[in-house]
Amino acid sequence: MRERLCSVVLLLAVCLLSLTCAGTAASAQSSSASEVKDRELVIGIKDSPPFAMKASDGDWQGISVELWRKVATDLKFKYRFVEVPQVSDLIEATADKKIDVAVAALTVTSARERLIDFIPAFYSAGFGIAVSAGGDATWMPVFRAMTSFGFLQSILVLVGLALVVGIVVWLLERQHNEEFGGSVARGLSSSVWWTTVAMTQRGIGNFGPRTMPGRAVAMFWMVGSIIAIAIFTASVTSVLTVKQLRGTVHDVGDLSDVRVGIVRNTATEDALAHMRISSQGFLTLRDALLALRSGSIDAVVHDRPLLGWQVNQEFRSSIELLDVSFNPQNYAFAVSPDSPLRKRIGIAVLDVVQSGWWNNLLMSYTGVR
């Protein structure tokens, strides 16, 4: 009887403790929610068109700004914008809880996730590449084509064929033709010289094979060398034409051979370093594009939406954005670690981006739903 009574008492104690903990947690959540509702949130922002743009009157607009205003209205938040100069400053202030929510064009990276917490992503895009419109008007494409591995490989193939045919002709003619006779060095040099002259279709006079086997090899070599030279010439012409029509850079693979500009302290810098592509850092995207227009660099790599916006606004006649996108990035709001705002804002963001309102907003800023 006593053991049963003890069990009942223990069970009641456990239930009471659970109710107390639940009540405390609920009270804490209610207090936290009430605190957020009553106070003015500090919203960190940085000028990053088309996500965040500051008008002359100090008002903010853009994809991220409009999304935040919609979320804040739905959640009945009071807030004020605080501008920061650099993305690194925005991340640092958010990590130190000086900023409640960061709404600029922040991309989700593992390094940033270690410092701050991201809300579910609202937009996804990759890096873009901007180049001078019309390509290069210099000899650089020709020089790069002539020093490429493919070009050198073709030259080595032609030289190798000439050596092989020269040796065969020498073996067939050395005992029957004094022009290929004498010492091994003299005979081989004469034979290789003849195959080279025959390959280039230069005049050879009476100098050449005299035996039937030697002349048969010579005939096949002359015809074959014409075909080989024609293929080689067509390949080189095609490469040079493509380089001049499309410019020095037309894909991600070309970035390792040119001067690339990026914005310092951005995800682009880390991505190119990981790909072992050297780059030159600039303070702003506009500075990088100005350097591209002046010819100081050959390409600019940056977040494609931001890069496309800047090019269309100011550099449309001199710079073009390639139809290339790589290393996809997710854009998201960020909060301080363990922020009570994360869950509520995350749900609100998902509700908005799944609505027709969001599609219309993207269309108005990017022309793409």
Side-chain angles (χ1 to χ4, degrees):
M1 184 67 179
R2 179 178 297 178
E3 293 178 356
R4 182 177 296 178
L5 182 60
C6 291
S7 298
V8 171
V9 172
L10 182 60
L11 180 61
L12 290 174
V14 171
C15 292
L16 182 61
L17 181 61
S18 300
L19 291 173
T20 302
C21 292
T24 302
S27 176
Q29 291 179 358
S30 176
S31 176
S32 177
S34 176
E35 179 185 354
V36 169
K37 183 178 179 181
D38 293 339
R39 75 180 178 89
E40 185 179 56
L41 300 179
V42 179
I43 309 302
I45 196 167
K46 176 189 174 298
D47 189 65
S48 304
F51 291 93
M53 299 171 286
K54 190 175 184 180
S56 57
D57 59 359
D59 189 31
W60 287 92
Q61 59 183 351
I63 297 174
S64 296
V65 176
E66 300 300 334
L67 175 59
W68 168 251
R69 284 181 174 145
K70 176 67 173 173
V71 168
T73 299
D74 293 344
L75 297 177
K76 297 180 174 56
F77 284 159
K78 299 175 184 177
Y79 64 91
R80 61 184 173 90
F81 289 121
V82 173
E83 185 178 7
V84 294
Q86 299 293 331
V87 173
S88 56
D89 300 328
L90 185 63
I91 295 173
E92 182 179 351
T94 304
D96 293 340
K97 299 185 178 181
K98 297 177 182 178
I99 287 175
D100 294 299
V101 186
V103 302
L106 278 179
T107 54
V108 181
T109 67
S110 59
R112 294 173 180 176
E113 185 67 48
R114 293 185 177 94
L115 302 175
I116 55 181
D117 287 343
F118 283 99
I119 304 298
F122 61 83
Y123 191 82
S124 180
F127 293 133
I129 303 174
V131 298
S132 296
D136 293 338
T138 67
W139 285 95
M140 287 305 296
V142 178
F143 175 76
R144 292 192 179 100
M146 292 297 184
T147 56
S148 66
F149 176 74
F151 182 85
L152 295 177
Q153 190 177 37
S154 300
I155 292 291
L156 290 175
V157 168
L158 290 177
V159 172
L161 287 174
L163 288 174
V164 171
V165 175
I167 292 173
V168 172
V169 171
W170 173 71
L171 291 174
L172 296 174
E173 296 289 319
R174 62 193 178 101
Q175 295 181 353
H176 308 282
N177 189 339
E178 65 276 6
E179 294 173 345
F180 298 97
S183 64
V184 173
R186 179 182 180 280
L188 277 177
S189 63
S190 298
S191 182
V192 172
W193 172 253
W194 178 84
T195 55
T196 303
V197 172
M199 178 178 62
T200 57
Q201 304 300 306
R202 306 296 295 177
I204 56 177
N206 296 323
F207 175 50
R210 295 179 181 177
T211 65
M212 289 298 294
R215 290 184 174 181
V217 171
M219 181 183 67
F220 281 107
W221 170 242
M222 290 179 180
V223 175
S225 63
I226 292 175
I227 298 174
I229 290 292
I231 294 175
F232 174 76
T233 304
S235 299
V236 172
T237 303
S238 176
V239 169
L240 295 181
T241 302
V242 169
K243 287 288 184 182
Q244 293 186 355
L245 289 177
R246 301 176 65 183
T248 305
V249 181
H250 56 271
D251 204 348
V252 182
D254 297 324
L255 294 178
S256 58
D257 299 324
V258 299
R259 299 164 298 174
V260 180
I262 52 96
V263 180
R264 296 192 193 102
N265 301 319
T266 61
T268 314
E269 186 175 23
D270 297 334
L272 292 187
H274 182 71
M275 298 169 66
R276 298 182 180 179
I277 296 175
S278 59
S279 60
Q280 179 179 346
F282 293 87
L283 185 61
T284 66
L285 178 57
R286 186 174 186 275
D287 292 339
L289 292 173
L290 287 173
L292 174 61
R293 187 170 65 180
S294 67
S296 301
I297 55 178
D298 302 305
V300 173
V301 178
H302 198 63
D303 295 353
R304 186 175 176 83
L306 281 68
L307 186 58
W309 176 272
Q310 192 75 44
V311 169
N312 288 332
Q313 293 297 310
E314 191 174 354
F315 301 91
R316 184 178 299 179
S317 61
S318 57
I319 295 176
E320 62 181 353
L321 186 64
L322 298 181
D323 189 19
V324 174
S325 182
F326 66 101
N327 197 14
Q329 301 286 311
N330 292 320
Y331 293 81
F333 294 160
V335 295
S336 58
D338 303 320
S339 171
L341 295 169
R342 183 179 184 182
K343 183 74 170 180
R344 299 175 64 192
I345 296 177
I347 295 174
V349 166
L350 291 175
D351 287 338
V352 172
V353 298
Q354 294 171 6
S355 66
W357 179 91
W358 175 248
N359 291 332
N360 293 333
L361 178 70
L362 291 182
M363 177 62 73
S364 65
Y365 279 100
T366 67
V368 180
R369 293 183 182 273

